[in-house]
Amino acid sequence: MEGCKMMEQLNDGQKREWEKQWEVLSYGVSSIIPEEEFKEKIAKSIKNEQPLKVKLGLDPTAPDVHLGHTVVLNKLKQFQEFGHTVQLIIGDFTGKIGDPTGKSIARTALTDEEVEHNAKTYFEQFGKVIDMEKVELHYNSKWLSKVGFSEVLKLASTVTVARMLERNDFHNRYEANKPIHLHEFFYPVMQGYDSYALDSDIELGGTDQEFNVLFGRQVQEHYGREKQVVLLMPLIEGLDGVEKMSKSKGNYIGVDERPQDIFGKTMSIPDALITKYFELVSPLSIQEVQEVKRKLDEGTLHPRDAKMKLAASFVEMLHGKEAARQSREQFINVFQKKAMPDEIPEVMWEGEEEIHVVDLVKELGLLPSKSEGRRMIKNGGVRIDQEKVTDTNQTVQVTDGVVVQVGKRKFVRLRSSS
Amino acid sequence: MEGCKMMEQLNDGQKREWEKQWEVLSYGVSSIIPEEEFKEKIAKSIKNEQPLKVKLGLDPTAPDVHLGHTVVLNKLKQFQEFGHTVQLIIGDFTGKIGDPTGKSIARTALTDEEVEHNAKTYFEQFGKVIDMEKVELHYNSKWLSKVGFSEVLKLASTVTVARMLERNDFHNRYEANKPIHLHEFFYPVMQGYDSYALDSDIELGGTDQEFNVLFGRQVQEHYGREKQVVLLMPLIEGLDGVEKMSKSKGNYIGVDERPQDIFGKTMSIPDALITKYFELVSPLSIQEVQEVKRKLDEGTLHPRDAKMKLAASFVEMLHGKEAARQSREQFINVFQKKAMPDEIPEVMWEGEEEIHVVDLVKELGLLPSKSEGRRMIKNGGVRIDQEKVTDTNQTVQVTDGVVVQVGKRKFVRLRSSS
């Protein structure tokens, strides 16, 4: 708490509130720039009962939200839960310009309707994580379209060309002799201007956004305003466990996907990512996540079961409790299907085409008696083509290739000439 | 005339006119970019009886015009003489912004009054070479102040950062890790926009302006307009014969300087520059200049006399015929003063303090008789302290150090105790 002057003015209740906010809001953040200013801003907000303005900028050209975005959305949600104000900014100003070089098909100029539609898509998808009722929505064309050439020149004068070329992607392109068109240098400038226009206290972004997000501080300072604090969130690896989750890499879980797909994809992540996904992507509380981590460390929780919990939490967040339950069950079925041995003994079936399951199981010698068969069915231990048999009187239509399973390890595939 | 389509449509009279314009307008130009388009523009102008619009941009912060500028002004004058229209543009838009970094004292923002005053100074000084009555005057704030951010971005998209950094001064500063502020990249963009706003056919500039002047073609093309042709004029070395003439180097002849200073400074240029100054700076016709060159080559014209002719032509251009005559004469006096031998015999004068010149000359033994003295005075051959004696009855006050001269070679310095 050194250097945090406002903190000294808080009473005991306010100090406890500060500790609570600091614990949650700083949790899982990759870097807070600068940390001292963030502490001070929280204290000031508590002291003055003035919510912080927490900004997130959105590119209106790519409204497909996936769980990689959830890292930032979860952080916004935490801010909301402490009563702070989320400012979502749709970057429609540049979106409507598109790519003036005309070289990128992906960046054709958007119409008002397209921007509106994309924004709506964002909001629907974001609504699965944050409370959209409490969010401030802004379109940056509102202020950027009024900025004149002389203002642009003054803003441009606050940065050097060398500084711009230090930005990772610019640097790499410049070194590789790939063209950087001059207008691209203005994307950070505009993003920074948005922070000035909205007097943002905090801006969130991925660690790959550091340059652009920090630029807001420069612009606010240029206009003599209080500088925003930057919270950089870690980038989350995709399903492959290697590359950043992104739509173009195909290693993502979209928030609009079907429950069973979300569940199944989550089950496919490498074990090494489990705790990171719990911490950053899942909606579980810090305490719940700590417990999962502890159990994994102790070895009292199997990684597969941890992933099931994780997957269920995602489905619940995006589709509700019931969908989570169902997709979990469905996955277990599929999982067991996968657990079926590759080599299943085959039996040529010469008997009746329709037969009671208890008779079939006995005839195949999978169980010694019909009564044993009935007991097994009651325990849910008999399956025909993965489907659990629930009725002891059930019959089965024997077709070529049907698989009969008893317990976890006994399988027979029936062959039939009919 | 290959590739010059409009030329084919000219009748004989027009063709002769074309030949005349081409000879004069292309004379002394360092590069015409592209030459074929210039030929075509002249032909089109003659065919359609439509004057060409010839642009020159001016920085409103530095209104001190020197003979280095005359290179461009002479070219503008030639255009004027063929009936074309000169467009002078005062770059007040950036002038009023000044240097937004605040690092350069020289580039503080100018007020409207200062811009107006500086422009007036330019025009007064330009008026000594070109016909200001026929000039179009423009202030680029008129259109640039209306350009919005989205237009700036589109313009910026027409150029790459790498291309900008190829510009000599940017390149050197970048390599030397000296800061280039981003707004500086917009100076060529704005200059180019001026050409679009005024639909210029031609832009003049020094060879050091190549990048900026060529940029106008790019901007005009961006807006689907006919591209201007660029005429780059050679830079003229200053009095030192080495560096480009410039105020900061102190090696310049200002158009506002006194006749005798213009004359004297011209006489001080290295002989190697004589023909270049004749061709590019003097107002003499191509024919007159060719003759001077021929005589210098033949050795029938002494370089000193060529410089006197050059100097007189400058003074005449800037101050009129009479001033040219006077400053020539005055220079000859000074020149002869310089020709005075370093060792002059001294005579201790014991005679009267005031004495007739004819008596003095005889007593000193410089001439054999008073009648001879009178004849010499009438021929302008007697001088007291460089001043020619014109009256045979003139007296002289003898003071210590006074120099008496008869003819070109006889000198006596009088010493007196009084």
Side-chain angles (χ1 to χ4, degrees):
Chain A
M1 290 310 305
E2 275 170 38
C4 187
K5 295 166 207 159
M6 190 59 84
M7 184 62 183
E8 290 157 19
Q9 299 174 32
L10 300 183
N11 63 33
D12 287 351
Q14 289 169 332
K15 274 183 189 158
R16 277 191 298 276
E17 172 65 17
W18 187 97
E19 296 290 352
K20 234 165 64 188
Q21 292 203 18
W22 171 253
E23 189 200 8
V24 173
L25 296 177
S26 63
Y27 180 77
V29 179
S30 176
S31 21
I32 300 171
I33 311 173
E35 200 170 287
E36 282 311 313
E37 286 181 26
F38 186 40
K39 289 177 175 174
E40 189 68 10
K41 287 218 188 222
I42 296 173
K44 209 162 133 189
S45 155
I46 292 169
K47 179 80 189 163
N48 301 338
E49 297 181 6
Q50 190 73 41
L52 292 172
K53 286 176 264 182
V54 187
K55 176 195 167 196
L56 180 70
L58 301 170
D59 173 1
T61 56
D64 258 285
V65 182
H66 54 65
L67 284 187
H69 297 107
T70 311
V71 179
V72 168
L73 293 177
N74 279 341
K75 187 53 68 185
L76 287 180
K77 187 184 172 192
Q78 294 167 347
F79 274 102
Q80 279 192 328
E81 285 169 351
F82 287 118
H84 300 300
T85 307
V86 170
Q87 305 175 313
L88 289 185
I89 291 129
I90 302 290
D92 67 329
F93 183 67
T94 41
K96 285 181 196 160
I97 292 170
D99 176 15
T101 64
K103 278 172 192 152
S104 153
I105 300 164
R107 299 209 63 147
T108 49
L110 300 173
T111 63
D112 282 353
E113 289 69 37
E114 286 168 322
V115 167
E116 201 62 49
H117 172 263
N118 290 348
K120 224 180 129 219
T121 309
Y122 263 127
F123 302 151
E124 279 168 11
Q125 299 186 354
F126 279 18
K128 294 178 174 174
V129 181
I130 57 174
D131 183 348
M132 290 302 290
E133 295 282 314
K134 290 185 186 158
V135 155
E136 275 184 18
L137 299 181
H138 300 280
Y139 292 83
N140 69 1
S141 62
K142 190 177 160 194
W143 49 81
L144 288 179
S145 62
K146 287 180 195 139
V147 173
F149 204 162
S150 60
E151 204 57 33
V152 175
L153 291 175
K154 284 179 200 162
L155 282 167
S157 76
T158 64
V159 67
T160 66
V161 172
R163 180 83 185 83
M164 279 285 178
L165 283 176
E166 281 168 18
R167 206 182 85 166
N168 256 344
D169 61 331
F170 287 150
H171 177 79
N172 296 341
R173 282 159 67 194
Y174 188 70
E175 292 296 311
N177 289 319
K178 286 184 188 156
I180 302 163
H181 289 87
L182 184 50
H183 69 286
E184 299 182 66
F185 274 9
F186 281 91
Y187 292 144
V189 176
M190 290 184 282
Q191 191 169 337
Y193 194 90
D194 293 346
S195 296
Y196 153 68
L198 293 176
D199 251 331
S200 307
D201 290 303
I202 315 282
E203 181 163 356
L204 294 196
T207 48
D208 56 347
Q209 283 287 306
E210 177 168 358
F211 187 95
N212 285 6
V213 180
L214 276 176
F215 209 88
R217 289 173 58 81
Q218 207 160 321
V219 176
Q220 287 172 318
E221 189 174 32
H222 171 71
Y223 288 110
R225 299 290 178 81
E226 189 177 316
K227 287 181 277 185
Q228 67 184 12
V229 167
V230 164
L231 263 60
L232 298 179
M233 300 306 295
L235 301 177
I236 199 94
E237 293 86 352
L239 305 174
D240 53 4
V242 180
E243 303 241 42
K244 176 189 165 188
M245 185 182 283
S246 81
K247 218 194 155 199
S248 61
K249 300 276 181 218
N251 63 353
Y252 69 106
I253 303 173
V255 301
D256 256 359
E257 292 195 66
R258 294 183 309 161
Q260 61 266 41
D261 294 334
I262 294 170
F263 203 101
K265 282 184 172 185
T266 307
M267 292 307 292
S268 79
I269 64 168
D271 288 357
L273 278 182
I274 295 174
T275 57
K276 192 169 183 187
Y277 270 49
F278 263 107
E279 279 176 344
L280 296 169
V281 190
S282 86
L284 301 181
S285 70
I286 300 178
Q287 287 71 28
E288 289 174 287
V289 172
Q290 298 297 9
E291 199 187 316
V292 168
K293 280 171 78 173
R294 188 178 50 76
K295 286 183 175 169
L296 280 170
D297 288 347
E298 290 172 358
T300 54
L301 180 65
H302 193 281
R304 182 199 58 222
D305 297 331
K307 279 198 264 188
M308 300 251 274
K309 189 181 173 71
L310 186 67
S313 84
F314 292 162
V315 178
E316 184 173 337
M317 170 171 80
L318 302 170
H319 293 281
K321 234 183 169 79
E322 178 53 22
R325 197 194 56 75
Q326 280 176 9
S327 55
R328 184 176 192 279
E329 187 166 317
Q330 195 172 349
F331 179 80
I332 290 169
N333 291 345
V334 174
F335 175 75
Q336 288 184 327
K337 186 181 191 175
K338 273 192 185 156
M340 210 158 56
D342 288 340
E343 297 282 316
I344 295 177
E346 297 192 347
V347 169
M348 195 64 196
W349 184 248
E350 312 270 76
E352 293 166 68
E353 282 188 26
E354 185 166 3
I355 183 172
H356 279 280
V357 174
V358 286
D359 293 334
L360 177 63
V361 166
K362 177 161 184 294
E363 293 227 357
L364 290 170
L366 293 168
L367 285 172
S369 67
K370 290 213 254 183
S371 60
E372 191 72 358
R374 271 188 289 271
R375 201 185 53 77
M376 203 61 163
I377 287 171
K378 279 177 190 154
N379 290 337
V382 178
R383 288 166 185 268
I384 304 295
D385 275 346
Q386 318 301 327
E387 284 289 314
K388 204 179 277 180
V389 178
T390 47
D391 182 353
T392 52
N393 283 320
Q394 197 173 313
T395 61
V396 59
Q397 202 73 29
V398 178
T399 51
D400 188 51
V402 72
V403 173
V404 183
Q405 179 183 357
V406 174
K408 287 199 170 169
R409 286 187 192 80
K410 295 184 195 159
F411 296 85
V412 164
R413 176 171 281 121
L414 300 182
R415 288 293 168 206
S416 152
S417 53
S418 64
Chain B
M1 291 309 305
E2 275 170 39
C4 189
K5 295 165 209 159
M6 190 59 84
M7 184 63 184
E8 291 157 20
Q9 299 174 33
L10 301 183
N11 63 33
D12 287 350
Q14 289 169 332
K15 275 184 187 157
R16 277 192 299 276
E17 172 65 15
W18 187 96
E19 296 288 352
K20 235 165 62 187
Q21 292 204 16
W22 171 252
E23 187 199 8
V24 173
L25 297 177
S26 64
Y27 180 79
V29 179
S30 176
S31 20
I32 300 172
I33 311 172
E35 202 171 284
E36 282 312 312
E37 287 182 24
F38 187 38
K39 289 177 174 172
E40 189 68 9
K41 287 215 187 227
I42 296 173
K44 208 161 135 189
S45 154
I46 293 168
K47 180 78 188 163
N48 301 337
E49 297 181 6
Q50 191 72 42
L52 293 171
K53 286 175 265 184
V54 187
K55 175 194 167 196
L56 179 69
L58 301 169
D59 173 2
T61 56
D64 259 284
V65 182
H66 53 65
L67 285 186
H69 297 108
T70 312
V71 180
V72 169
L73 293 178
N74 280 340
K75 187 52 67 185
L76 287 180
K77 188 184 172 191
Q78 294 167 348
F79 275 102
Q80 279 193 327
E81 285 168 352
F82 286 119
H84 300 301
T85 307
V86 170
Q87 305 176 312
L88 289 185
I89 291 128
I90 302 289
D92 67 329
F93 183 67
T94 40
K96 284 182 196 162
I97 292 171
D99 176 15
T101 66
K103 279 173 193 151
S104 153
I105 301 164
R107 299 209 64 145
T108 50
L110 299 173
T111 63
D112 283 352
E113 289 70 35
E114 285 168 323
V115 167
E116 200 61 51
H117 172 263
N118 290 347
K120 223 179 132 220
T121 310
Y122 263 127
F123 301 151
E124 278 167 13
Q125 299 186 355
F126 279 18
K128 294 176 175 177
V129 181
I130 58 176
D131 184 348
M132 290 302 290
E133 297 280 316
K134 289 185 187 158
V135 154
E136 275 184 17
L137 300 180
H138 299 280
Y139 293 82
N140 69 0
S141 62
K142 191 178 159 194
W143 49 82
L144 288 179
S145 62
K146 287 179 196 140
V147 173
F149 204 161
S150 60
E151 204 57 33
V152 174
L153 290 175
K154 284 179 200 163
L155 282 166
S157 76
T158 63
V159 68
T160 66
V161 172
R163 180 84 186 83
M164 279 286 177
L165 283 175
E166 280 166 19
R167 204 181 87 166
N168 256 343
D169 60 332
F170 287 150
H171 177 80
N172 296 341
R173 281 159 66 194
Y174 188 69
E175 291 295 310
N177 289 318
K178 285 182 189 158
I180 303 162
H181 289 88
L182 184 50
H183 69 287
E184 298 182 66
F185 274 8
F186 281 90
Y187 292 142
V189 176
M190 289 185 282
Q191 191 169 336
Y193 194 90
D194 293 346
S195 296
Y196 152 68
L198 292 176
D199 251 330
S200 308
D201 290 302
I202 315 282
E203 180 162 357
L204 293 196
T207 49
D208 56 347
Q209 284 286 305
E210 177 168 356
F211 186 94
N212 286 7
V213 181
L214 276 176
F215 210 87
R217 289 174 57 82
Q218 206 159 321
V219 176
Q220 287 172 318
E221 189 174 32
H222 171 71
Y223 287 110
R225 299 290 178 81
E226 189 178 317
K227 287 180 278 184
Q228 67 184 11
V229 166
V230 164
L231 264 61
L232 298 179
M233 300 305 296
L235 300 177
I236 200 93
E237 292 86 352
L239 305 174
D240 52 4
V242 180
E243 303 242 42
K244 175 189 166 189
M245 185 181 285
S246 82
K247 219 195 152 199
S248 60
K249 300 275 183 219
N251 62 354
Y252 69 106
I253 303 173
V255 301
D256 256 359
E257 292 194 66
R258 294 183 310 163
Q260 61 267 42
D261 293 334
I262 294 170
F263 203 101
K265 282 184 172 184
T266 307
M267 293 307 293
S268 80
I269 65 168
D271 288 356
L273 278 182
I274 294 174
T275 56
K276 192 168 183 187
Y277 270 50
F278 263 107
E279 279 178 342
L280 296 169
V281 190
S282 88
L284 301 180
S285 72
I286 301 178
Q287 288 71 28
E288 288 174 286
V289 172
Q290 298 297 10
E291 198 188 317
V292 168
K293 279 172 77 173
R294 187 178 50 75
K295 286 184 175 169
L296 279 171
D297 287 348
E298 290 170 0
T300 54
L301 181 65
H302 192 282
R304 184 199 58 224
D305 296 331
K307 279 198 264 188
M308 300 251 277
K309 188 179 173 68
L310 186 66
S313 83
F314 292 161
V315 178
E316 184 174 335
M317 169 171 81
L318 301 172
H319 293 281
K321 233 183 171 80
E322 177 55 21
R325 197 194 57 73
Q326 279 176 10
S327 55
R328 183 176 192 281
E329 187 167 315
Q330 198 172 348
F331 179 81
I332 290 170
N333 291 345
V334 175
F335 177 75
Q336 289 184 324
K337 185 180 189 174
K338 275 191 184 157
M340 211 158 54
D342 289 339
E343 298 282 315
I344 295 176
E346 298 192 348
V347 171
M348 196 65 199
W349 184 248
E350 312 271 74
E352 293 165 69
E353 282 189 24
E354 185 166 4
I355 184 171
H356 278 281
V357 174
V358 284
D359 293 336
L360 178 64
V361 166
K362 175 160 185 295
E363 292 225 1
L364 288 171
L366 293 168
L367 287 172
S369 66
K370 288 212 256 184
S371 62
E372 192 69 1
R374 272 188 290 269
R375 201 186 54 78
M376 201 60 165
I377 286 171
K378 280 178 190 153
N379 289 338
V382 179
R383 288 167 185 265
I384 304 295
D385 276 346
Q386 318 300 329
E387 284 288 313
K388 201 179 279 180
V389 178
T390 48
D391 182 355
T392 52
N393 284 319
Q394 198 173 313
T395 62
V396 60
Q397 202 74 30
V398 179
T399 52
D400 187 51
V402 74
V403 173
V404 183
Q405 178 183 358
V406 174
K408 287 202 168 167
R409 286 190 193 80
K410 294 182 195 162
F411 296 85
V412 164
R413 176 170 282 122
L414 299 182
R415 288 294 165 202
S416 153
S417 53
S418 64

